[in-house]
Amino acid sequence: MKKKLLEIIKKNSKKNLIINEGIKVNSKNLLSYITQINRYLSENNLEKKTIIIQIENRLHTFIFYLAAIFSKTTICPLDPKLPKSRVQKIKKLLNAKKIIKKIKLTKSDKADVDSLNLDNHKFLITFSSGTSGEPKGIVHDSNNILGVSFSYSKLAEYNKNTKILHCLPEYYMAGIINTFFSCLCAAGQVVIINSFSKRTIFDIWHKILKYRVNVVYLIPSIYAMISNFSPANAKQIIKKNKISFFSTSNNLYPNIRNTFFKKYQSKIKSCYGITEMGGPLTNEIKPNLAHDSVGELINGCKIKIKEIN
């Protein structure tokens, strides 16, 4: 799986795979950054260790994800705003070696690709939302994350022309797989902006139009909000750029979907996943599915319904 992703990155050497507020990262820069981070992990005896990352710079966070997947290190990304007491509790629970809050990257075309680890390893620890009790730490190996990413990418019909607006939290599965790894697995382009919030919501349409993205993931409450305001030509832009809108995280209520469609003549599609099962499981990309369908299952996923007396 790692070798497959590495070949995709190397093959698209002239393409800007990641854009963040005017900063463009092409394949050569990306491989150099990955090498720099992995050298840091090695020199600081962090290989085969568990570390926590709380990096406020979203671009650096995602580059760290890529570096870690080509390393032997296990990472646990946490919200930078998480209370210090909670972070220390998690650090003790995981026996984490270090908490990383900042990294320094030097722009360069030089990369030591031969030093990258292409073997499967325990790559990621994420915590469930806690809706069914105390949040649970879930360990994901690198082949699982990339396997799900490639499968979801295919189901969502991503390709080299895909441009995703990434404004989901970078420490949740949807922000890690649906809008990052899955896009890179198709040699698409990830446009990173600030995570959505009440303060940034009014900037969403500006970013959609500015970067000419064609795939947008938001949570239902944000869709409800942006249905109330938009540029006068939003409907025309959506049609011209063939923008696909997806909803994740929570249930997409019919009134939100219907209001959005009535205003923009564009259907919000649902996708669902379970952290404990490795992330995204379904996507509603195909038309003419049953009413209130959550979409089709990714390849390799099966659901069995058992009756319990």
Side-chain angles (χ1 to χ4, degrees):
M1 288 294 178
K2 293 183 183 182
K3 186 176 181 181
K4 186 177 180 181
L5 176 60
L6 181 59
E7 289 303 316
I8 289 172
I9 295 174
K10 289 165 60 178
K11 186 178 179 180
N12 293 272
S13 60
K14 296 182 179 180
K15 181 175 183 177
N16 292 318
L17 296 173
I18 305 174
I19 295 178
N20 177 224
E21 301 296 343
I23 300 174
K24 299 177 180 180
V25 182
N26 62 31
S27 171
K28 290 182 178 180
N29 297 151
L30 193 55
L31 289 173
S32 173
Y33 292 151
I34 290 171
T35 300
Q36 290 175 44
I37 293 174
N38 282 356
R39 186 184 303 120
Y40 167 83
L41 294 174
S42 177
E43 291 175 352
N44 288 273
N45 194 30
L46 295 174
E47 287 186 315
K48 298 184 179 180
K49 306 292 185 181
T50 297
I51 60 175
I52 291 173
I53 59 172
Q54 281 189 294
I55 304 172
E56 291 193 10
N57 185 313
R58 280 166 58 81
L59 174 60
H60 286 185
T61 298
F62 289 115
I63 291 174
F64 206 109
Y65 288 167
L66 279 168
I69 210 159
F70 288 113
S71 74
K72 298 176 182 178
T73 302
T74 304
I75 63 170
C76 176
L78 297 176
D79 183 353
K81 298 180 179 62
L82 204 63
K84 187 176 181 180
S85 59
R86 175 64 177 159
V87 176
Q88 290 301 320
K89 183 178 179 181
I90 293 174
K91 183 175 184 287
K92 184 178 180 180
L93 176 69
L94 302 180
N95 192 26
K97 182 81 171 178
K98 190 177 182 64
I99 299 174
I100 295 179
K101 295 188 175 183
K102 196 173 185 179
I103 56 172
K104 184 178 180 180
L105 298 174
T106 303
K107 193 171 183 178
S108 171
D109 289 341
K110 296 179 180 180
D112 184 9
V113 178
D114 293 335
S115 68
L116 302 183
N117 172 38
L118 300 182
D119 295 327
N120 187 33
H121 80 290
K122 293 179 181 179
F123 156 60
L124 179 72
I125 298 175
T126 57
F127 280 83
S128 60
S129 61
T131 52
S132 58
E134 183 72 15
K136 297 172 285 293
I138 317 298
V139 181
H140 311 270
D141 64 41
S142 53
N143 278 353
N144 177 67
I145 291 294
L146 290 181
V148 171
S149 296
F150 276 109
S151 292
Y152 186 81
S153 178
K154 183 177 180 181
L155 180 62
E157 298 183 350
Y158 295 167
N159 56 52
K160 64 181 181 180
N161 297 317
T162 296
K163 291 185 70 173
I164 289 183
L165 185 74
H166 197 314
C167 56
L168 297 177
E170 62 273 27
Y171 39 86
Y172 284 153
M173 294 302 280
I176 295 170
I177 295 180
N178 301 46
T179 52
F180 186 65
F181 275 113
S182 289
C183 185
L184 293 184
C185 285
Q189 186 179 81
V190 182
V191 177
I192 301 171
I193 64 172
N194 291 331
S195 294
F196 51 69
S197 67
K198 291 181 179 178
R199 296 180 62 183
T200 62
I201 187 61
F202 295 101
D203 206 29
I204 288 289
W205 277 113
H206 170 69
K207 301 295 185 182
I208 290 173
L209 303 183
K210 177 181 178 180
Y211 293 108
R212 299 181 181 179
V213 296
N214 51 30
V215 176
V216 176
Y217 280 77
L218 297 170
I219 62 175
S221 59
I222 301 298
Y223 278 117
M225 293 177 69
I226 67 172
S227 292
N228 296 319
F229 63 90
S230 63
N233 63 338
K235 188 189 296 184
Q236 290 75 21
I237 294 295
I238 290 171
K239 184 177 181 180
K240 180 181 178 181
N241 293 349
K242 298 180 180 179
I243 303 175
S244 294
F245 293 93
F246 293 94
S247 174
T248 187
S249 181
N250 296 309
N251 184 37
L252 177 63
Y253 292 106
N255 63 313
I256 296 177
R257 189 200 295 256
N258 295 339
T259 299
F260 190 89
F261 181 82
K262 185 176 181 180
K263 185 164 186 177
Y264 304 115
Q265 294 298 298
S266 180
K267 179 183 178 182
I268 304 172
K269 307 173 186 71
S270 294
C271 67
Y272 285 88
I274 302 174
T275 299
E276 291 87 339
M277 295 182 66
L281 300 175
T282 72
N283 187 288
E284 200 189 351
I285 189 72
K286 300 290 177 66
N288 304 320
L289 294 174
H291 179 65
D292 285 340
S293 169
V294 297
E296 294 187 13
L297 287 169
I298 64 171
N299 185 42
C301 179
K302 295 181 181 180
I303 292 180
K304 290 184 178 181
I305 300 176
K306 297 179 69 175
E307 183 176 344
I308 302 175
N309 296 325

